[in-house]
Amino acid sequence: MTDSPSKRLFILDGMALAYRAHFAFFSNPIRNSKGVNTSAVYGFANTLLGILEHEHPTHIAACFDTSAPTARHELYPAYKANRESMPEDLSYQMPLIFRLLEAMNIPILRYEGYEADDTIGTLARIADGTKEFQTYMVSQDKDLGQLISPTCYLWKPGKRGNDHEVVDLEKLKEQWGIERADQVIDILALMGDSSDNIPGIPGVGEKTGIKLLKQFGSIENMLAGTQEISSEKLRTKIEENAQLAIMSKRLATINV
């Protein structure tokens, strides 16, 4: 049995942390001496400094989205179309967050045509492959659960003053009722994801999605064996929306 990896990589989901910080102070924003809202910068810095002080990462990076369309938008133009524009107060603060990261010599990773999730996933898989790192993805994003491995974890910032939560592979499987991390993709594809406007199969929720996965293991197996679904109503619904399910799985899959 080998020792646990000694290197600790923390990958920040930068945009998600900025939004989280902005809305945490939405009803009582923090302003500087000129009256400018700096809540997002303050909250982002607090999370970052807390990680540096208490988690002692040996490596750290921050990943961000860009405004360029991705392959998901080409596949499904309505992808994330339900999202409102970035609040003006937050938009003003993004360059300040970048300046903060640059001042602390923390790499900023963003690539046109790729979402932050894809960059996080690629970096996490590279780290897994070296067998030298314990990797922590700093985000509340449930999509990232598909990347959890024996040496890669989801580090979820605390809410309303509560401590953070670390989701490992066993906790992930228990929370979702699944056998493998990649089945998070299938669940999201079956039930849809309103935050990203992933359609899923109409009428199929989390409970039914998990039940189907327990029976079939994957969307592909389910579509190949719909005759085994006892409910005629559910079977018809799935067969009529087979292509939607396949597309939703592609949309939910993080590209690494």
Side-chain angles (χ1 to χ4, degrees):
M1 186 175 185
T2 58
D3 295 333
S4 297
S6 58
K7 297 178 182 178
R8 292 167 60 84
L9 168 63
F10 277 72
I11 312 172
L12 310 181
D13 186 351
M15 195 64 74
L17 291 178
Y19 264 91
R20 174 180 175 273
H22 174 75
F23 284 107
F25 297 97
F26 188 75
S27 59
N28 188 25
I30 296 171
R31 300 185 183 278
N32 64 13
S33 59
K34 297 180 180 179
V36 176
N37 187 340
T38 57
S39 301
V41 181
Y42 175 81
F44 191 100
N46 266 357
T47 299
L48 177 56
L49 291 173
I51 288 171
L52 294 175
E53 180 179 357
H54 300 294
E55 297 290 355
H56 309 293
T58 59
H59 297 70
I60 190 168
C63 300
F64 290 85
D65 299 316
T66 73
S67 58
T70 69
R72 296 181 183 88
H73 294 94
E74 295 174 6
L75 174 64
Y76 184 56
Y79 179 68
K80 291 191 175 181
N82 57 331
R83 294 196 177 185
E84 297 181 0
S85 300
M86 182 183 295
E88 186 176 348
D89 278 352
L90 177 55
S91 180
Y92 175 84
Q93 294 177 78
M94 291 310 301
L96 302 179
I97 290 174
F98 291 142
R99 285 176 60 188
L100 170 69
L101 291 166
E102 289 166 354
M104 298 180 74
N105 202 29
I106 294 174
I108 299 169
L109 306 179
R110 46 182 175 165
Y111 303 98
E112 289 198 358
Y114 296 92
E115 294 184 47
D117 284 1
D118 299 322
T119 308
I120 292 170
T122 300
L123 198 55
R125 284 292 178 261
I126 291 172
D128 273 354
T130 68
K131 303 187 185 304
E132 297 179 357
F133 289 89
Q134 288 184 322
T135 301
Y136 298 84
M137 304 174 290
V138 182
S139 179
Q140 289 278 357
D141 192 348
K142 59 182 177 294
D143 300 19
L144 293 173
Q146 64 189 267
L147 300 169
I148 293 176
S149 74
T151 54
C152 181
Y153 318 95
L154 186 59
W155 195 99
K156 301 173 70 172
K159 293 182 178 180
R160 299 179 180 87
N162 294 325
D163 198 10
H164 70 277
E165 176 189 8
V166 176
V167 181
D168 62 12
L169 192 54
E170 291 307 310
K171 184 177 286 188
L172 176 80
K173 292 191 288 188
E174 181 182 345
Q175 288 177 347
W176 285 99
I178 55 180
E179 296 180 354
R180 307 184 313 273
D182 65 277
Q183 289 177 312
V184 170
I185 306 171
D186 296 85
I187 292 175
L188 294 175
L190 286 167
M191 71 180 193
D193 185 355
S194 59
S195 64
D196 289 340
N197 207 33
I198 296 176
I201 296 178
V204 172
E206 180 178 335
K207 185 177 179 180
T208 302
I210 291 172
K211 182 179 178 181
L212 288 166
L213 274 188
K214 284 183 179 297
Q215 181 178 357
F216 294 102
S218 71
I219 281 181
E220 290 78 7
N221 289 343
M222 178 192 71
L223 294 178
T226 54
Q227 70 278 2
E228 298 177 28
I229 298 173
S230 57
S231 167
E232 182 179 351
K233 182 179 179 181
L234 178 59
R235 181 170 64 251
T236 301
K237 190 179 297 183
I238 289 171
E239 290 174 345
E240 289 179 348
N241 292 280
Q243 292 305 311
L244 198 60
I246 292 170
M247 182 189 71
S248 294
K249 184 166 182 175
R250 290 177 62 187
L251 293 173
T253 301
I254 292 174
N255 298 318
V256 298

